[in-house]
Amino acid sequence: ALDTEVTDLDSLLQVMSYLRDVRKRTDSTESMFEPLRNIVALLNRRDVSTPAEIAQGLEQLPMTWATVKKKTTLTKEKHSKEQSQQAEKVKRDSKEFEFRTEEFFAYFKKTMPYEYSTDDEQAYAVMDRTHHGAKNDWNPVGSLVDIKRDAIRLNEMQELFELFVIEYRQIDQCEKEAKFL
C-alpha cells in the first residue's frame, strides 16, 4: 500500500489515505502493546498457558509497527512535492468554496419561505428546490444537498493533506433552518 507508485491524483490520494490511517492509528496502536503483554503475563502467572506464537507475536509486533511508521515517513518524504502541490490546490479550492457557501447562505436566506403564506404548494416547491434541486435558472447556486456533499469531500481532502479542516457553519445553519421549516 505504501509502495504504490504515484502517477496521478488517484494514486496520490490512495497513498495519502494510507498515510492518514497510520497517523490516526499511531497513538491507539502503540498504547495496545503493553496491556496485551500484561494480559499474557497475568495468564501465565495463573497457570493458563498461551500459545508460543502469541508471545512471539507480542515481541515482534512493536518492531513491525515501528517499521510501518518508518516506511510511512519515508513515503511521505518521497511524495512531499506532489503532496505540497495538491495541498496548495486544496487550499485554493477551500477559499473558493468559502465564497460559494457565503453565496449559498445569502440565497438561502433570501428564497426560503420564512413568513406565513397561504400558497403552501409554492412554499414547498421553493424548499424542495433549495434543499435538493438541480442547479439551474431557478436555483442558480445549487442545492443544500450538493453544497453539503462538496463540503464533506473538501473536508476529507483537507484531512488527507494535513490541512486545517474548515467547519462550514453556514451550511450547518442552513440545514437547521431547513428542518425547522
Side-chain angles (χ1 to χ4, degrees):
L2 293 172
D3 296 329
T4 303
E5 189 63 34
V6 174
T7 57
D8 59 3
L9 179 59
D10 289 336
S11 58
L12 177 63
L13 293 178
Q14 183 180 18
V15 168
M16 293 306 299
S17 69
Y18 293 133
L19 295 176
R20 178 206 52 210
D21 293 346
V22 171
R23 184 177 67 241
K24 288 177 89 173
R25 295 290 314 251
T26 295
D27 291 338
S28 63
T29 301
E30 289 177 353
S31 67
M32 287 184 213
F33 300 138
E34 193 60 33
L36 289 173
R37 281 193 204 114
N38 292 341
I39 290 170
V40 170
L42 176 66
L43 290 172
N44 289 336
R45 282 195 308 267
R46 301 288 182 225
D47 296 326
V48 176
S49 64
T50 54
E53 52 268 2
I54 289 180
Q56 185 181 10
L58 286 175
E59 293 303 317
Q60 292 176 349
L61 205 54
M63 291 180 283
T64 305
W65 180 247
T67 303
V68 168
K69 289 189 332 182
K70 184 175 183 176
K71 193 172 186 178
T72 300
T73 302
L74 293 173
T75 301
K76 184 175 180 180
E77 289 172 2
K78 179 181 174 184
H79 301 297
S80 63
K81 182 179 178 186
E82 296 94 346
Q83 180 185 2
S84 296
Q85 290 171 344
Q86 189 62 30
E88 287 302 316
K89 182 181 180 312
V90 170
K91 286 179 187 177
R92 285 190 306 274
D93 291 349
S94 299
K95 198 62 161 164
E96 289 172 14
F97 189 73
E98 285 184 56
F99 293 123
R100 185 173 160 214
T101 57
E102 290 171 9
E103 182 182 23
F104 180 83
F105 188 68
Y107 175 79
F108 184 91
K109 289 290 196 180
K110 182 177 133 187
T111 59
M112 289 298 273
Y114 285 103
E115 297 177 8
Y116 175 76
S117 171
T118 56
D119 188 3
D120 57 341
E121 287 182 23
Q122 175 65 23
Y124 282 115
V126 169
M127 287 190 293
D128 286 346
R129 186 173 56 239
T130 305
H131 183 266
H132 56 267
K135 186 174 182 176
N136 55 31
D137 291 340
W138 291 95
N139 199 13
V141 294
S143 69
L144 180 57
V145 171
D146 291 340
I147 202 163
K148 181 69 175 180
R149 183 188 61 240
D150 293 347
I152 290 169
R153 183 193 57 77
L154 197 53
N155 285 157
E156 288 170 354
M157 295 293 281
Q158 291 164 344
E159 182 183 22
L160 272 182
F161 291 97
E162 300 180 48
L163 300 171
F164 178 75
V165 177
I166 299 171
E167 186 178 333
Y168 298 103
R169 290 191 175 112
Q170 293 170 321
I171 297 172
D172 295 337
Q173 183 66 32
C174 290
E175 283 185 311
K176 287 177 189 175
E177 291 181 21
K179 287 177 186 177
F180 288 130
L181 294 174

